[in-house]
Amino acid sequence: MIGSELDAAGLQDPKLRAAFRECKKINARYGKTFFLATRLLAPKQRPAVHALYGFARRADDILDDFDGRGSELRADQLQALSTRLFNALVENQPCDDDPTLTAVVHTARKYDIGWNLFDDFLTSMRMDLTVTDYPDRAALDRYMYGSAEVIGLQLLPILGTVGPREDAAPHAAALGKAFQLTNFIRDVDEDLTRGRVYLPADELAAHGVDRELLKWCQDNRRVEPRVRRALMDQHAAARQIYADAQPGIAELAPASRPCVAAASTLYSEILARIEEIDFEIFGRRATVGKGRRLAVAGSGLVRSWNARLRHGSN
């Protein structure tokens, strides 16, 4: 299957094929929902999406692996990754000894994805080395632009649009933001373990919630009423961002719409699961069951095949 995807994408060079294979393995291993959604894209689109995921995952691993590395070493590793990407993408230096970079540089050149989007992404990743709390929505939004919105913008030229790309861009960015805010709400417990809170401190404080109270919830494995009310507000904010992003699906190339619609459905249903468990997110992880994920993917696959037949995308 991967061979047919590589052939469809016009990737014949053995080193390039090996690089994209490695990125697909990373996506399949770590990006369960995201990987499932990529199966709804045309085969020629999938390798590029895997490459972007592989690079993002590599940066994320530098930050979040619990392996004894200090923040200074992590900062050096993140800077080294940034420098190598810049040298390859902007300065045209070779990087064929590094499969992840080889694949993402090829993708960036093919789809005209500018260095500035990668730079913005890496800037937000650097914030994770020193920033553990966000005082207000504006501060969190600055982080989320680089860590989530630019991912939507990077994907946009791969997905294709029916009109000017800039018309679809705000919606693509909003969907990336919605996905990440969903993760932030679901993963408060896990993020606390890493010493981080990815929700606006002033909005939590409006409900009498601070880091100390969140830690109490974590220690006691139950949600305190003030925390529940604060999470309900964040839940509503995420729902609104999904609503803002929704019109952008119609602006995508028809063959790409089933993939993005399925991803939006599955991620937004995580919010539904959070609500179903009454926001008891400490000690529990809100997930969409495998059966539901397969049902959404199956329906999307039919729509994807039909769209590709009608519009001649392979």
Side-chain angles (χ1 to χ4, degrees):
M1 183 66 73
I2 180 61
S4 63
E5 293 175 0
L6 298 175
D7 291 339
L11 296 163
Q12 299 302 322
D13 179 85
K15 284 188 176 181
L16 270 180
R17 291 172 74 90
F20 279 95
R21 283 194 185 97
E22 182 62 26
C23 290
K24 181 175 181 178
K25 288 178 185 177
I26 294 169
N27 195 349
R29 181 176 180 182
Y30 296 106
K32 297 289 192 295
T33 298
F34 186 77
F35 181 77
L36 185 62
T38 65
R39 304 301 303 160
L40 307 184
L41 291 172
K44 67 180 180 181
Q45 295 172 300
R46 296 173 198 162
V49 175
H50 297 322
L52 290 175
Y53 182 93
F55 178 78
R57 180 72 201 192
R58 183 165 167 186
D60 197 52
D61 284 347
I62 291 174
L63 297 167
D64 286 341
D65 277 353
F66 291 109
D67 55 9
R69 289 171 298 152
S71 59
E72 192 171 315
L73 177 55
R74 292 173 191 268
D76 289 344
Q77 291 175 330
L78 198 58
Q79 183 57 50
L81 179 63
S82 177
T83 299
R84 286 214 70 190
L85 178 61
F86 179 86
N87 288 342
L89 185 56
V90 180
E91 301 293 335
N92 294 314
Q93 295 184 15
C95 62
D96 54 5
D97 61 331
D98 187 320
T100 306
L101 287 182
T102 296
V104 80
V105 167
H106 183 276
T107 296
R109 288 175 177 159
K110 179 176 180 179
Y111 289 98
D112 191 26
I113 304 171
W115 158 253
N116 62 303
L117 292 179
F118 293 101
D119 191 34
D120 288 336
F121 168 74
L122 291 164
T123 295
S124 285
M125 295 302 96
R126 290 186 193 95
M127 291 173 65
D128 275 329
L129 295 169
T130 56
V131 179
T132 57
D133 299 86
Y134 295 85
D136 50 36
R137 179 70 58 177
L140 183 63
D141 282 347
R142 285 192 292 275
Y143 172 79
M144 293 177 70
Y145 174 76
S147 62
E149 292 185 38
V150 299
I151 303 301
L153 298 176
Q154 288 174 342
L155 286 168
L156 199 52
I158 300 168
L159 299 175
T161 59
V162 293
R165 193 187 302 177
E166 55 267 26
D167 290 348
H171 301 295
L175 193 56
K177 185 177 182 179
F179 289 171
Q180 187 169 62
L181 187 55
T182 299
N183 288 341
F184 287 165
I185 297 168
R186 180 193 64 192
D187 296 338
V188 170
D189 188 5
E190 181 180 331
D191 290 332
L192 268 176
T193 300
R194 294 189 171 109
R196 303 172 189 154
V197 176
Y198 289 108
L199 298 174
D202 62 341
E203 295 178 22
L204 298 180
H207 294 277
V209 177
D210 56 14
R211 179 183 280 265
E212 184 178 349
L213 185 55
L214 292 174
K215 190 66 171 64
W216 182 91
C217 293
Q218 184 180 54
D219 292 342
N220 289 275
R221 285 292 181 254
R222 65 187 181 89
V223 65
E224 201 269 352
R226 289 169 291 175
V227 173
R228 179 177 286 106
R229 289 193 291 271
L231 291 174
M232 289 172 68
D233 274 2
Q234 298 303 313
H235 185 279
R239 283 288 189 202
Q240 183 57 54
I241 299 171
Y242 277 105
D244 294 341
Q246 189 66 25
I249 294 177
E251 298 180 12
L252 298 175
S256 295
R257 292 172 193 166
C259 167
V260 177
S264 181
T265 295
L266 291 172
Y267 269 93
S268 64
E269 285 191 10
I270 294 173
L271 291 178
R273 302 290 90 76
I274 292 170
E275 197 169 19
E276 285 174 5
I277 64 174
D278 199 23
F279 297 88
E280 291 286 350
I281 58 172
F282 296 92
R284 300 178 67 177
R285 185 177 175 85
T287 60
V288 177
K290 184 177 180 180
R292 174 59 178 162
R293 285 188 279 121
L294 291 176
V296 171
S299 175
L301 190 59
V302 172
R303 294 196 303 274
S304 176
W305 282 339
N306 288 336
R308 277 145 57 186
L309 285 172
R310 286 196 305 270
H311 299 279
S313 180
N314 58 12

